Amino acid sequence: MLHLHQILSITWKDLKILFKDVGGMVTLFLMPMMFIIVMSIIQQGMFDPGDSGQPRRLPVVNLDSGNLAAEVIAQLDNVDGIEVETDWEGEPMTREQAEALVTDGKRAVVVVFPADFSERVEERLDDAGARATIELITDPAVSTQFIAPIQGMVLGIAERVAETALAPARIEAGLAELLAYLPADAQILLDKMVIETEKTNVVHVERVVPPGMGVEVFPDSYQQNVPGYTVFGVFFIVATMAESILREKREGTFRRLLAAPLPKPILLAGKLLPYYLVNLLQVAVMFSVARLLFGMALVQPVALLVVSLALAAAATGMGVLVATFGKTQTQISGLSVLLTLTMSAVGGCMVPTFVMPDFMQALARFTPHGWALQGFQDVLVRGYGLAGVWPDAAALLGFAAVFFLIGVWRFRFD
Amino acid sequence: MSDNIIIEAQGLVKRYGDPSAGSGRGVEAVRGLSFAIRRGEIFGFLGPNGAGKTTTISMLSCLLEPTEGTAIVAGYDVVKAPGEVKRRIGLVPQELALYPTLSARDNLNFYGRIYGLRGRTLRRRVDEVLGMVGLAERAGSAVEDFSGGMKRRLNIAAGLLHRPEVLFLDEPTVGVDPQSRNGIFEHVERLNADGMTILYTTHYMEEAERLCHRVAIIDQGRIIALDTPRKLIADLGGGIIHLGVANGMAEGLLEQIRALPEVRAVTQFDGKVKVEATRAQEALVGLLALFNRTDTDITSLEVLEPNLETVFLQLTGKRLRD
């Protein structure tokens, strides 16, 4: 009972010291929060395909003298997450206005349908080599990753519209040749088939998710940045904790405490618990901010809690380990910053792992950050429950055990 | 061990490093200390920095395990029953072992809780020690805003909360102004008057002389003298006279000095003469007369009155603060 009382006393004392340290609070809470807010907003365009709540605006200039461009534009406008802009200041947009929008950085890409678009499509009936061109006016600085999906979408819809427009004429021409050889009943049946074909699409594409992934949502910038910078911020506890241990050694408080009837394991437990609790608080605050400010869905709370508990264990374990390597505050700060920043970057907290080269993606598996981020995204993005996140939690606890065991083995109280 | 003895050390040795490596025995910080401290005594360890005082206190307070020897503190062996020893001792380390951003009361509450004090008892004890060290009015202030003397007083207070039988004070006045130092002396004397045994380490001979009932002079890990300050000074203190001589010593002059009635020993070094005397002032009169008679010019003269400093100088050939 006395030992529990001692652990709680050390915990309470360290929490008081920690919450009086304005700089420490800024590092642990404000910094990751600001990263979450700023980076989520900045990278919104990079991560989000756009959705009905927040559509991506796509300026389109229609110079086509026929009807096909208008049909393509109508279909583009029906795409969820795309808002087609054909007018500018109440007038149909001109090519010059469109170019100015890109030059001025107001839009990253503009689609231009030339005057002969429909004409060139229809020429295809007689000339197999005829091609209609759609222009994509873009800022050269905009990455291909951003442009490629738009280009693919426009091309896909245009191809479909063109093929649909050409299909009846092609079928009709083909059948006309056949009709001469068929009886009257067969002619009526063929006409009916042609009409049915024109009414319905043969292929329908529907987005589905694998079994067990209950939430049909895909990562947006918040779902990348909130867990990413939460994990990043949680590991800043390493420096805070290691510096606190060093201070206790340097200022003789450990010496005084060890002259009291206080066993070393109890003292160490008392030093770990407050930082573990602060880690959990960090996760709670970051996710609450994301929920309140951005409406980020917090699903599967038990699974989230399990990942958070395992993450906090890994971070505090690393704190003990780093404390055994630094003999001065400068050494500890340097080592902590080096480790946490490198591991955060490699683990995908700053840049998602799916854009990294293969060997970097493999390297992410050797960081607790990578597993923690995957754990959070398994819950938040893929909707996994407890059964789905146990490998992530187990990996984090494995890191915690390794860090802690090496740390305790190397630990000196004086 | 008699009931009157509260600390007894026998052949205490502390050796650091691997004895099998290098020199073969490692570094010996403490080399076979034996002493006994009586209940209710202020016992001083006087010695220069690095003499082994803190290492000895660390062994007696169960922070370090002796390499050899035994120590019984308040009836318990420091190796076999460290928990029992720790409950009965209070350690005031040389460092200001306090949390600067917390208030004085928060610091004391924390240390009190570590000793298992709670609730009303804890509050009463904290108030009691704050009053004892004169910090009751600053109880709510952050320690970082305290003066050096106030911090030292609070450092002592933190060691008193659980009312220890023995208090280890390790250099408690380092970096403290003279006024605060006197205040600390008064606190120590008051605690002792209330029956507390105090082991006091210092490298300031004035502190040992003023406070300690008995003093162990320690150098290079060994006790080189142990007695009351008065007896140490009477037996060994005498006085020391340093004389600088202009043109070197005339032949036979050293023998004439040695023959003077109050002179105990004479040594010559770096053009100076060191005269150890039983009574420095009387010896000086004889010396001046002799130098006058022999036409020897004196370029410098220093008289060290008898005190623990001169005792240490006589015993080790060096000053306490060298």
Side-chain angles (χ1 to χ4, degrees):
Chain A
M1 195 61 190
L2 172 64
H3 290 160
L4 180 63
H5 184 67
Q6 288 174 324
I7 290 174
L8 294 177
S9 299
I10 298 168
T11 300
W12 180 238
K13 176 266 296 175
D14 268 18
L15 287 175
K16 268 187 164 179
I17 292 173
L18 205 53
F19 284 102
K20 278 173 187 273
D21 176 11
V22 178
M25 287 296 99
V26 167
T27 305
L28 293 176
F29 287 92
L30 204 57
M31 189 182 67
M33 201 185 295
M34 290 316 294
F35 269 118
I36 285 171
I37 295 169
V38 173
M39 298 307 275
S40 295
I41 293 169
I42 288 174
Q43 295 178 350
Q44 209 167 1
M46 205 170 112
F47 284 94
D48 298 355
D51 56 41
S52 47
Q54 202 169 20
R56 175 175 289 169
R57 285 175 295 186
L58 183 64
V60 177
V61 179
N62 186 5
L63 305 174
D64 186 18
S65 51
N67 299 322
L68 289 182
E71 177 59 26
V72 175
I73 292 165
Q75 290 199 23
L76 276 173
D77 206 23
N78 283 335
V79 174
D80 186 37
I82 295 288
E83 182 188 305
V84 173
E85 295 176 307
T86 50
D87 293 342
W88 192 255
E89 293 171 346
E91 297 289 325
M93 197 183 302
T94 64
R95 185 187 177 90
E96 290 71 28
Q97 283 171 330
E99 285 172 348
L101 284 174
V102 173
T103 309
D104 297 345
K106 289 178 180 167
R107 297 290 184 272
V109 58
V110 174
V111 182
V112 179
F113 289 91
D116 61 351
F117 180 73
S118 296
E119 193 183 324
R120 295 287 291 161
V121 169
E122 282 156 12
E123 277 174 16
R124 184 68 177 246
L125 281 172
D126 304 320
D127 177 4
R131 295 187 76 182
T133 303
I134 301 169
E135 287 179 276
L136 243 59
I137 302 174
T138 63
D139 180 343
V142 175
S143 74
T144 310
Q145 283 172 345
F146 177 81
I147 297 297
I150 296 173
Q151 188 173 345
M153 181 178 62
V154 171
L155 183 66
I157 290 174
E159 285 275 5
R160 191 171 63 196
V161 167
E163 289 300 328
T164 307
L166 296 177
R170 279 177 173 163
I171 293 167
E172 227 169 295
L175 287 177
E177 285 179 33
L178 280 172
L179 277 176
Y181 306 100
L182 292 176
D185 287 354
Q187 286 183 31
I188 294 165
L189 186 63
L190 266 176
D191 285 346
K192 194 180 170 195
M193 282 171 67
V194 169
I195 291 162
E196 287 299 320
T197 307
E198 286 172 353
K199 271 184 185 171
T200 58
N201 292 326
V202 177
V203 179
H204 172 65
V205 178
E206 188 181 327
R207 211 167 178 182
V208 293
V209 293
M213 298 174 75
V215 183
E216 198 182 339
V217 288
F218 294 87
D220 54 28
S221 64
Y222 302 114
Q223 287 164 334
Q224 165 61 31
N225 287 308
V226 173
Y229 284 103
T230 299
V231 173
F232 171 75
V234 159
F235 275 89
F236 267 83
I237 207 77
V238 169
T240 312
M241 186 179 167
E243 283 170 14
S244 165
I245 290 172
L246 180 72
R247 235 184 348 261
E248 296 251 24
K249 287 185 195 177
R250 202 181 50 211
E251 293 177 5
T253 42
F254 264 176
R255 192 169 140 76
R256 167 168 255 160
L257 288 170
L258 289 171
L262 174 69
K264 285 179 179 176
I266 299 297
L267 175 54
L268 198 54
K271 283 303 291 182
L272 286 176
L273 185 58
Y275 299 96
Y276 187 79
L277 294 175
V278 166
N279 273 167
L280 295 181
L281 186 64
Q282 281 179 291
V283 177
V285 168
M286 300 310 149
F287 281 24
S288 300
V289 166
R291 174 83 188 126
L292 292 172
L293 291 186
F294 311 127
M296 193 180 80
L298 298 177
V299 291
Q300 301 283 4
V302 178
L304 275 182
L305 180 66
V306 167
V307 176
S308 306
L309 292 170
L311 165 65
T316 43
M318 198 167 154
V320 176
L321 184 61
V322 168
T324 68
F325 280 98
K327 287 190 166 56
T328 65
Q329 190 146 346
T330 315
Q331 283 177 4
I332 280 183
S333 302
L335 187 59
S336 305
V337 170
L338 179 74
L339 279 176
T340 51
L341 286 183
T342 309
M343 286 180 148
S344 292
V346 173
C349 295
M350 296 165 176
V351 177
T353 48
F354 64 77
V355 302
M356 294 180 186
D358 287 348
F359 79 96
M360 288 299 286
Q361 290 190 27
L363 215 55
R365 313 296 283 175
F366 292 96
T367 66
H369 301 64
W371 286 98
L373 185 59
Q374 179 175 295
F376 281 137
Q377 288 189 332
D378 277 348
V379 179
L380 296 171
V381 180
R382 298 174 193 104
Y384 284 0
L386 198 54
V389 296
W390 76 260
D392 308 312
L396 285 168
L397 290 174
F399 275 108
V402 170
F403 290 153
F404 191 72
L405 288 174
I406 299 175
V408 168
W409 173 62
R410 289 180 48 86
F411 203 87
R412 299 288 175 271
F413 283 90
D414 48 12
Chain B
M1 193 169 88
S2 104
D3 283 353
N4 194 34
I5 301 297
I6 197 161
I7 296 176
E8 184 168 25
Q10 286 291 337
L12 273 188
V13 172
K14 185 65 199 177
R15 199 173 295 129
Y16 293 103
D18 181 2
S20 61
S23 63
R25 298 203 68 195
V27 176
E28 273 190 346
V30 171
R31 305 172 178 192
L33 295 196
S34 297
F35 57 91
I37 299 176
R38 296 176 198 128
R39 203 174 282 276
E41 191 173 33
I42 303 179
F43 187 90
F45 267 140
L46 177 67
N49 291 328
K53 306 186 296 287
T54 300
T55 306
T56 306
I57 278 199
S58 297
M59 287 191 281
L60 295 176
S61 53
C62 311
L63 291 171
L64 286 177
E65 201 166 308
T67 313
E68 289 172 27
T70 58
I72 308 292
V73 176
Y76 293 93
D77 188 297
V78 294
V79 176
K80 291 176 186 157
E84 296 298 332
V85 173
K86 287 177 176 185
R87 265 180 212 99
R88 289 163 176 79
I89 62 165
L91 172 67
V92 178
Q94 194 170 336
E95 306 91 347
L96 289 166
L98 300 165
Y99 299 98
T101 54
L102 298 185
S103 69
R105 184 177 292 281
D106 281 345
N107 268 280
L108 296 176
N109 278 338
F110 167 64
Y111 283 119
R113 286 192 194 105
I114 293 299
Y115 280 93
L117 301 174
R118 296 179 214 190
R120 216 177 307 165
T121 311
L122 176 62
R123 272 198 301 279
R124 201 177 55 240
R125 294 276 182 89
V126 167
D127 287 339
E128 192 179 290
V129 296
L130 279 169
M132 201 185 292
V133 297
L135 290 172
E137 287 179 6
R138 297 295 302 274
S141 304
V143 172
E144 62 193 354
D145 297 331
F146 282 11
S147 68
M150 289 161 79
K151 287 176 186 167
R152 283 280 162 202
R153 273 144 58 198
L154 186 64
N155 203 30
I156 294 172
L160 302 173
L161 286 159
H162 59 295
R163 294 180 177 162
E165 289 178 47
V166 185
L167 184 66
F168 296 117
L169 289 171
D170 192 4
E171 304 267 8
T173 59
V174 169
V176 168
D177 61 89
Q179 195 183 347
S180 298
R181 185 174 291 191
N182 282 331
I184 290 171
F185 293 164
E186 285 165 20
H187 296 312
V188 172
E189 284 165 338
R190 204 175 315 142
L191 288 168
N192 181 246
D194 291 343
M196 192 177 284
T197 306
I198 294 166
L199 198 163
Y200 191 104
T201 80
T202 182
H203 63 277
Y204 297 120
M205 61 95 190
E206 319 87 66
E207 293 185 7
E209 263 182 62
R210 168 172 170 178
L211 286 173
C212 299
H213 299 127
R214 288 192 304 146
V215 174
I217 296 179
I218 185 166
D219 187 45
Q220 296 182 341
R222 288 198 179 88
I223 291 177
I224 51 177
L226 194 165
D227 215 320
T228 63
R230 182 180 296 208
K231 189 118 186 352
L232 284 170
I233 293 165
D235 289 353
L236 299 162
I240 293 175
I241 302 164
H242 287 149
L243 290 156
V245 184
N247 304 316
M249 299 281 282
E251 204 173 323
L253 190 57
L254 272 183
E255 288 310 313
Q256 291 182 57
I257 295 171
R258 208 166 274 134
L260 290 171
E262 306 293 340
V263 171
R264 196 186 280 157
V266 183
T267 45
Q268 195 176 2
F269 66 99
D270 298 338
K272 286 189 175 180
V273 179
K274 177 186 164 192
V275 179
E276 294 173 30
T278 48
R279 284 196 293 273
Q281 295 300 334
E282 282 84 343
L284 184 61
V285 173
L287 276 169
L288 292 175
L290 177 63
F291 277 47
N292 196 30
R293 272 203 314 275
T294 55
D295 270 343
T296 307
D297 291 336
I298 297 170
T299 55
S300 66
L301 172 65
E302 185 186 20
V303 180
L304 302 174
E305 287 298 330
N307 54 31
L308 288 176
E309 176 81 36
T310 55
V311 170
F312 189 80
L313 196 60
Q314 292 220 33
L315 289 169
T316 66
K318 59 190 181 191
R319 288 172 187 266
L320 272 166
R321 285 167 226 180
D322 279 351

